[in-house]
Amino acid sequence: VAGKCEGCAAAPTHLVLYSAFAGANCIVHTHSTYATAWAQAGKALPCLGATHADCFCGSVPCTRAMSLREINGDYESETGNVIVETFASKRKDPTLMPAVLVACHGPFAWGADDEEAVYNAVVLEEIARMSHITMQINPQCAGAGRPLMERHFFRKHGKGAYYGQSEE
């Protein structure tokens, strides 16, 4: 953990996540418009289609609102604790769900390195935007459903993954 987040105001949040989430070697926190809007609304980002499922295995969770004690205490560390609590209570695997929305705050994303973490943050913003548009077109949209979501996610990220660009 030494050397990560030096000079970063959010370092205590990131340090909690580095300790709790194996494989999260870089964390990105933004206040991107659409993902932040979902976070401010206190809503998980539902898996509405294949684009979402290609990167995130299920709905991107939103934390509970932080308590007054958490806000007035060690706020940045408590933010990390609320994220970890959310993953534990929802039984989410941070390697399959490399992002979260912090209620009334904004999105966090992570990855094995800075490139992957930034990629996940950018994709999170784009699917938040697409979900917003989708829900405007059809507020009753049922979403992708588990079979389609799992097919899209695991063909790119599962054992024997076969879909996507080769690194050669």
Side-chain angles (χ1 to χ4, degrees), residues 17-38:
L17 299 181
Y18 290 134
S19 295
F21 295 167
N25 297 322
C26 183
I27 296 162
V28 173
H29 170 52
T30 73
H31 287 266
S32 58
T33 303
Y34 287 89
T36 298
W38 283 88

Side-chain angles (χ1 to χ4, degrees), residues 85-132:
E85 170 194 290
T86 298
F87 274 70
S89 70
K90 297 185 182 303
R91 296 187 179 105
K92 293 278 188 181
D93 180 341
T95 61
L96 303 179
M97 178 56 61
V100 67
L101 304 174
V102 176
C104 303
H105 188 152
F108 286 77
W110 49 87
D113 55 31
D114 57 344
E115 186 176 317
E116 185 175 88
V118 169
Y119 175 82
N120 288 334
V122 169
V123 171
L124 178 63
E125 175 62 10
E126 188 58 23
I127 63 167
R129 186 180 72 82
M130 291 185 331
S131 295
H132 170 75

Side-chain angles (χ1 to χ4, degrees), residues 27-78:
I27 296 162
V28 173
H29 170 52
T30 73
H31 287 266
S32 58
T33 303
Y34 287 89
T36 298
W38 283 88
Q40 289 179 168
K43 297 289 188 184
L45 185 57
C47 183
L48 298 180
T51 305
H52 178 127
D54 280 342
C55 296
F56 302 104
C57 192
S59 295
V60 176
C62 186
T63 69
R64 63 171 171 77
M66 293 177 72
S67 70
L68 188 57
R69 179 192 59 77
E70 292 164 331
I71 293 167
N72 289 333
D74 186 0
Y75 177 70
E76 287 78 14
S77 292
E78 293 294 352

Side-chain angles (χ1 to χ4, degrees), residues 2 4-5 13 19 27 49 54 57 61 89 121 146 155 161 164 166:
K4 293 182 181 178
C5 297
T13 304
S19 295
I27 296 162
D54 280 342
C57 192
S89 70
R146 190 174 187 93
R155 71 185 184 152
S166 161

